[in-house]
Amino acid sequence: MSRTPRVVVVGDVITDVVAVLSGPLATGSDTAATIRFSGGGQAANTAAWLAAQGADVTLVAAVGDDEAGRERIAELERVGVTCAVERHEGYPTGTVLVLAHDGERTMVSQRGANLRLTAEQVDRALAAAPDAGHLHLSAYTLLDAGSRGAGLRALAVAREGGLTTSVDAASAAPLRRAGAAAFLSWVRDVDLLLVNTDEATVLAGGLDPAAQARALAVVARRVVVKRGAAGAIWVDRSGAVETTPAHGVPVVDVTGAGDAFAAGLLTAWLSGADPRAALSRAGDLGALAVSSIGARPTP
């Protein structure tokens, strides 16, 4: 297999406040939890996991001109991510409250400075990365109207420059608000679309996962449906279907598991691995992510 080319990741940087609950949330009362503050954001997490696998990676994102933003940039740079991240005065760095319990997580989000990402910033970042071979886009960038132009520009410039492209569909609720038809028009002909089962249902209806993937492969060249404990499915336009089981590991916190999965998939696929090997590597990182609290690789 060849070395993974530089990956440019476009999307969000977030401060995660993760609360792993001891039991079901007691609405209107107290629930004991283990609480941790850490770096988050789908794009930033994926970039960190890519760097941990030895890939050259550039993150294009926006933070506030505040202490949280400075901390988020510093921690990414420490793990080897090249940060094309701009600071915006008067806007807070994005923050997400994550409530995790029984293998699920619920997020309460303040997008903050992530909405300030612009097409011009994307142009500058890609011009400064002539060795880039792949662009990975967090769909949050498309789903927020304020940053949509940056996401669309990123995909357009990548195609013009001969880069391969991938999009992670992000989250079912904002996909539903944006509308399946609109989203699918934005990501048409990307090389790889990643969706979980909830996102696949929003985009392709209540079919079985393989049928959902085949329906979405009319839009994207390759589709991976992440099925959590049931494993994952890869379908491409040639009709090829590959499935892998999930790893049986104790689940501590699922925050960032999909981002780790994406990084494992990309590093393997971009290095020339076949779909089964790429899914296997993705599963390895996803299992590692759910085994500890937080969305980033542990030092």
Side-chain angles (χ1 to χ4, degrees):
M1 296 202 314
S2 60
R3 176 175 172 77
T4 304
R6 176 174 294 277
V7 179
V8 176
V9 181
V10 178
D12 48 339
V13 177
I14 293 285
T15 298
D16 279 348
V17 183
V18 181
V20 180
L21 307 180
S22 61
L25 182 66
T27 304
S29 187
D30 292 296
T31 305
T34 300
I35 298 175
R36 174 176 168 179
F37 289 74
S38 62
Q42 186 178 72
N45 295 340
T46 303
W49 283 100
L50 284 165
Q53 306 315 298
D56 295 322
V57 55
T58 297
L59 175 66
V60 187
V63 297
D65 189 15
D66 52 20
E67 184 60 28
R70 288 185 284 274
E71 289 177 358
R72 298 292 79 80
I73 293 172
E75 66 196 8
L76 287 163
E77 290 178 337
R78 282 196 298 270
V79 299
V81 176
T82 299
C83 288
V85 179
E86 296 189 0
R87 300 183 180 92
H88 294 268
E89 187 175 357
Y91 294 87
T93 296
T95 302
V96 172
L97 308 180
V98 183
L99 306 180
H101 174 62
D102 196 26
E104 292 291 343
R105 50 98 174 98
T106 300
M107 297 180 290
V108 182
S109 305
Q110 174 183 265
R111 302 297 294 161
N114 289 295
L115 301 179
R116 305 300 297 172
L117 187 63
T118 66
E120 291 76 18
Q121 182 185 345
V122 168
D123 284 342
R124 290 191 294 271
L126 285 169
D131 59 336
H134 183 82
L135 182 132
H136 179 71
L137 177 68
S138 164
Y140 282 114
T141 307
L142 295 172
L143 298 174
D144 288 322
S147 55
R148 186 170 301 146
L152 294 173
R153 180 63 176 165
L155 292 174
V157 174
R159 292 186 187 110
E160 291 167 5
L163 280 66
T164 51
T165 55
S166 56
V167 175
D168 194 314
S171 183
L175 274 175
R176 194 173 291 110
R177 289 193 295 269
F183 178 78
L184 293 174
S185 73
W186 300 331
V187 301
R188 181 166 296 279
D189 288 330
V190 297
D191 292 288
L192 179 61
L193 175 65
L194 292 88
V195 294
N196 65 24
T197 52
D198 290 340
E199 295 153 6
T201 298
V202 172
L203 297 175
L207 308 171
D208 69 81
Q212 289 173 330
R214 284 193 293 270
L216 293 174
V218 174
V219 175
R221 298 178 188 279
R222 301 162 188 85
V223 177
V224 172
V225 179
K226 301 171 288 182
R227 304 171 62 206
I233 295 175
W234 169 299
V235 173
D236 63 35
R237 285 182 178 174
S238 72
V241 178
E242 191 63 69
T243 63
T244 56
H247 297 280
V249 298
V251 176
V252 176
D253 173 23
V254 299
T255 309
D259 308 330
F261 181 100
L265 189 78
L266 289 174
T267 51
W269 177 59
L270 292 172
S271 298
D274 62 27
R276 175 173 286 275
L279 287 176
S280 177
R281 182 57 182 155
D284 290 343
L285 289 199
L288 186 61
V290 302
S291 300
S292 61
I293 298 175
R296 304 271 178 85
T298 54

